[in-house]
Amino acid sequence: MSSLEATVSKMSTSPQPAKSLAIEKIKQILGEGRFIEHKDEMIPFLTEWRGFYTGDALLVVFPENVQMVSDVTKICAEAGISIVPQGGNTSMCGGAVPSSEGNAIVLSMSKMNKILSIDTTNYTMTVEAGCILQNIQEAAKAEDRYFPLSLAAEGSCMIGGNLATNAGGTNVLRYGNARELVLGLEVVLPDGRILDQLTGLRKDNTGYDLKQLFLGSEGTLGIITKAVLKLFPAPKSINAAYCAVPNISAALELLNCARVESGDSVETFELISRQVLDLVLKHIPGTRDPLTESYEYYVLLEIVSTKQDDNETRKNFENMLEKALESELILDAAIAQTEQQRQEFWALRENATESQKLEGTSIKHDISVPISSIPTFYETAWQAILGVEPKARLIAFGHAGDGNLHFNVAQPKNSPSKDFLAKWADINHAVHEVVKQFNGSISAEHGIGQLKKDELPNYKSSIAIDVMRVIKDALDPKGIMNPGKII
Ligand code: FAD
Ligand code: 2HG
Ligand code: ZN
């Protein structure tokens, strides 16, 4: 038994003081500058970014290496203190903040932010879990490589959080979710042991693929401390178009044409409704509509080539758009002529979340259905919402190329937020029942967290939930890892 274990087991003989002793021990192990104990300083770590969830904690800790994470976890396991791992705290589901019980520590990964190595031949990068996603993208670019995970929160979310939520974003169509971009992981288990699966192997069939358990587990099974990520050749010629489409079925036909005509190199296929565009134009300074007339739906489409000055791909791209115009799959389109113009198109898409927040309260639905079902789903779910709130405003956009829409609902104009929020459960229920009808998912990419925990049993089979529970109990018998999330 190590001296640390000896101290901890001694402490755990007297229940209440045991917790304060454990907290003192954690502070001692970490040292000054690696924890926050004053309530007002803790607030940003206890508050979810939309302000829907706030919690309480005994301490917020900032370990600097895996050994510190392991030591803190061992102490918590012994003393029965919960651990809430936290990355950038951009979760859409209240996953990264503790409950109000105040029996948890928040374990921030922000000081474990080193890019450890890049192997350009193996096309891999090894990183600590607290690396900001954008820093990873930039480090890959500096080595003429590409890490394709991309989402509007990339300037603040951390790779550990991305992996723990199996994040999606705007490039899933071509590269898959976060889950598909990982080759190896290092994880601290709920008892403090360090599970080292930090391999850069593309083939390894030596039993269960354990890393998959932690990808998408939202901090409920362990703390991801390092990862080996997959890299790709850097895009050199990016062709971006902002297209107006007559309806959603046409958008999906356009997706098919674009895939076929480009040799399946569509990188992005994002749907933006007029209501979303209007909110962005209203709230985000410097944005402008690239098209002269107003249309009901738009698609932001990108086709990418890894060849420099790839004129052939550009020509194919333009030809494809011309054909789509002739066959009225698109009504008008603007093609980015410069990187600056491309960024302007992206601002219209990436600011959807921010502009909704500035507009007032919105009730979000991160749903997926088979791509072929999107048009019927869209209409049916909208009618279901109107059945609950006839003055609701639909704010629909997202990753149509993955069958994933953010089918959000904004509060009616000139009506108090609290009246709208009183209908939250009914609106959720209306949309999720339609999702069920189409064999879809009530959480395509954001996870479950606290937000959808109570709804999950209605939409996932009881056997699947039993299996999840068995795994949870086996790995975390004391239930200390991010309690109150998922199950
Ligand atoms: P946090 O919010 O800190 O944590 C998320 C969950 O992971 C929590 O349950 C937490 O306990 C757990 N966790 C965090 N770090 C670790 C770790 N090291 N080990 C174990 N568990 C951990 N999501 C998408 O999928 N696609 C999008 O397109 C997208 N766009 C967004 C746009 C905006 C403007 C915002 C605000 C959010 C968006 N999100 C999106 C949601 C969010 O950014 C993602 O879920 C992201 O992956 C969370 O990363 P994070 O570092 O902020 O994690
Ligand atoms: C996106 O795709 C995010 O931009 C956020 O997943 C979606 O605001 C939302 O609901
Ligand atoms: Zn999204």
Side-chain angles (χ1 to χ4, degrees), residues 128-142:
E128 288 186 321
C131 284
I132 303 268
L133 174 56
Q134 194 173 338
N135 295 344
I136 292 176
Q137 297 164 344
E138 282 166 10
K141 194 171 176 188

Side-chain angles (χ1 to χ4, degrees), residues 24 58 81-82 104 144 153 163 208 232-233 237 293 295 308 315 343-344 420 430:
E24 286 312 310
L58 299 163
I81 295 172
S82 307
D144 197 24
L163 303 184
Y208 304 147
F232 295 84
S237 306
E293 283 178 43
Y295 300 93
Q308 194 74 48
K315 231 184 155 106
Q343 292 307 332
E344 285 171 16
F420 179 57

Side-chain angles (χ1 to χ4, degrees), residues 92 152 349-350 353 356 364 397 399 406 408 445-446:
M92 288 277 177
R349 165 63 185 87
E350 298 276 71
T353 301
Q356 275 171 99
K364 293 179 184 284
F397 62 99
H399 322 290
H406 299 303
N408 299 341
E445 58 170 10
H446 294 160

Side-chain angles (χ1 to χ4, degrees), residues 4 22-36 59-73 75-76 105-108 111-112:
L4 174 63
I23 292 296
E24 286 312 310
K25 189 76 201 166
I26 290 171
K27 282 158 52 180
Q28 194 188 318
I29 282 173
L30 293 178
E32 279 304 319
R34 298 196 192 93
F35 60 85
I36 294 176
L59 204 63
V60 178
V61 299
F62 303 88
E64 278 185 17
N65 55 51
V66 65
Q67 196 53 53
M68 286 185 184
V69 177
S70 164
D71 289 346
V72 167
T73 306
I75 297 174
C76 287
I105 62 162
V106 173
L107 191 146
S108 165
K111 282 193 195 286
M112 292 182 64

